[in-house]
Amino acid sequence: MTPGEPVSLTPADALYPARLRECLGANSPGQLSAFGNLDLLTQPKTALFSSARCPGDAFLRACDQAAQWRDAGRCVVSGFHSPVEKECLRILLRGSQPIIICPARSRETFRLPVEWKEPLAQNRLLLFSGFNATHRRATTALAERRNNLVAALADEAVIIHATPGGHVAQLSEQLSQWGVPVIRVVRA
């Protein structure tokens, strides 16, 4: 499916990812908003997560990993919100591989950054949100829900850094329960 107009999906739609219902159950979004290439949802996906505070060695390894994904053509899905995730996105945008970006707020109020326009035109970008128009700003609670959505979409997950006891550490446990392989770049 080529990018054009934004698309809304409900659980009754054929394009709604079944994995969301399987993993999230009653907590799966009642409506999804997508802009870009929906076919990216059918590709094997690596989820990227990192706590906001990340040690320098983990940050550097994350950049190396992002370059490897870029060169290998791996589809990466993330909120790309923490500083290390943002840097990984900058690296990925310079490649030709697919990227799925899941903001922790409504897609309707999202202003598309200039550097995303070319990947969108190249049919290798999907902006994917589980939030409606009332969710205009990212919050901690919305970020948690977004991370669960990203995790449920993933075939594997890479955790750059998880603050002990933090949200990403808890998400790591959830991923394991769902049977999603978790790779840690730096051990805590």
Side-chain angles (χ1 to χ4, degrees):
M1 179 176 281
T2 58
E5 292 298 312
V7 175
S8 291
L9 302 172
T10 65
D13 292 317
L15 293 174
Y16 190 97
R19 186 132 163 91
L20 294 182
R21 288 188 299 267
E22 293 165 11
C23 293
L24 301 176
N27 293 323
S28 60
Q31 184 169 354
L32 297 167
S33 176
F35 184 65
N37 186 355
L38 274 169
D39 291 337
L40 300 184
L41 292 173
T42 64
Q43 295 195 12
K45 293 168 288 304
T46 299
L48 170 65
F49 299 104
S50 180
S51 296
R53 293 197 172 113
C54 179
D57 62 331
F59 197 100
L60 293 174
R61 288 188 201 171
C63 293
D64 291 343
Q65 182 62 65
Q68 289 175 20
W69 287 327
R70 180 195 62 209
D71 297 345
R74 182 69 178 179
C75 182
V76 179
V77 58
S78 180
F80 295 107
H81 186 77
S82 72
V84 69
E85 292 168 356
K86 286 179 184 178
E87 186 58 32
C88 288
L89 178 59
R90 279 191 272 284
I91 293 166
L92 294 168
L93 286 169
R94 292 190 294 249
S96 60
Q97 82 301 321
I99 306 167
I100 302 172
I101 301 172
C102 300
R105 62 188 181 102
S106 168
R107 190 222 34 91
E108 286 85 3
T109 61
F110 201 86
R111 181 183 244 161
L112 194 68
V114 172
E115 55 272 6
W116 296 8
K117 290 182 180 180
E118 185 176 338
L120 188 65
Q122 294 170 340
N123 218 20
R124 64 183 192 91
L125 182 72
L126 175 63
L127 189 59
F128 198 67
S129 174
F131 303 104
N132 63 38
T134 62
H135 299 113
R136 296 178 164 280
R137 294 199 176 275
T139 65
T140 301
L142 294 181
E144 253 185 273
R145 285 177 42 202
R146 181 269 323 276
N147 284 349
N148 283 330
L149 179 125
V150 169
L153 290 172
D155 297 290
E156 67 178 7
V158 172
I159 296 178
I160 303 302
H161 177 72
T163 301
H167 295 296
V168 175
Q170 293 169 11
L171 184 64
S172 176
E173 293 172 22
Q174 185 64 60
L175 285 158
S176 294
Q177 290 175 4
W178 290 339
V180 177
V182 177
I183 302 157
R184 293 186 182 275
V185 172
V186 175
R187 301 250 178 235

